[in-house]
Amino acid sequence: MALHRDDVVAAALDLLDEVGLDRLTTRALTERLGVAPGALYWHVRSKRELLGAMADAVVAPAFAAAPVPGGQAGWAARTEAFAHRLRAALLGRRDGARLVSGYLAPGAATLGAVEEGLALMRAEGLALAQAAVLGHAVTSYVIGFVLQEQAARAEDGGGGGGPGFDPGRYPNLLQWQAEQARQAGPGAPFDAGLALLTAGLAAGLG
């Protein structure tokens, strides 16, 4: 059966989930695909191009259209929906945030979705510069948040434990740790930060 670029990228993403970004090699990938080492380069010219294609595939679901309310608050609802889709997409792959932050080279589908998103934001009353800054700020927040999430999981083996603080030296940190533990669900800190970011952007755009 002929090997296609999509097959290479899909196999590489499966390998990423198994071994992580640091141990992902083209040699391991060729063994997974059962092809000669040089066969990959008919589909990707380098490992960096492969990683870029993988990153594009990871974020692609985040750009899927989602219905949101129209009117004055439409851009805010659209932005929050996108942020949640992007976080889910990054968390869906081992080292997803590291891969995307280091190697994303958006393909035609992703670029088309970004262009459509900018057009929708402009139609809702935002200037082009405002829409672009909004998208960049939210994307940076989501990637940074998930980088920390995935790094913490790697450090504690996925147990979700945090550091213990000396109450004499770090009373505020200890209180914050306790408050986080009481919040409903692992997404609560993300939602709280996103709400603050959206409110700040709304104030700045108002």
Side-chain angles (χ1 to χ4, degrees):
M1 184 175 64
L3 185 67
H4 300 284
R5 181 184 172 94
D6 289 347
D7 300 323
V8 173
V9 173
L13 287 170
D14 289 342
L15 186 60
L16 175 70
D17 286 338
E18 293 178 18
V19 304
L21 188 58
D22 293 332
R23 295 176 58 197
L24 179 68
T25 65
T26 54
R27 179 177 179 178
L29 181 56
T30 56
E31 292 175 355
R32 163 71 59 99
L33 291 167
V35 298
L40 286 182
Y41 299 108
W42 287 100
H43 308 283
V44 289
R45 290 169 293 184
S46 65
K47 183 178 179 181
R48 173 166 285 276
E49 183 176 314
L50 170 65
L51 292 169
M54 293 167 60
D56 190 42
V58 168
V59 301
F63 292 96
V68 297
Q72 188 174 3
W75 69 265
R78 191 184 305 281
T79 297
E80 291 183 0
F82 166 73
H84 282 96
R85 292 197 305 272
L86 180 58
R87 178 173 178 245
L90 297 176
L91 288 173
R93 292 291 181 179
R94 181 174 175 179
D95 294 331
R98 281 183 60 203
L99 174 68
V100 169
S101 64
Y103 299 100
L104 181 61
T110 301
L111 290 173
V114 172
E115 174 65 25
E116 182 181 355
L118 290 173
L120 288 168
M121 295 293 187
R122 296 186 72 182
E124 289 167 353
L126 274 65
L128 177 58
Q130 292 175 323
V133 168
L134 172 64
H136 183 268
V138 172
T139 300
S140 297
Y141 167 71
V142 176
I143 293 175
F145 192 97
V146 179
L147 274 170
Q148 295 182 66
E149 282 188 288
Q150 293 183 320
R153 290 181 183 182
E155 288 174 3
D156 65 22
F165 295 113
D166 180 348
R169 295 184 62 187
Y170 309 111
N172 291 299
L173 288 174
L174 185 65
Q175 180 179 343
W176 173 237
Q177 186 182 55
E179 289 179 3
Q180 283 190 303
R182 290 195 296 269
Q183 292 185 40
F190 176 80
D191 290 337
L194 181 60
L196 283 174
L197 178 60
T198 305
L201 289 167
L205 297 174

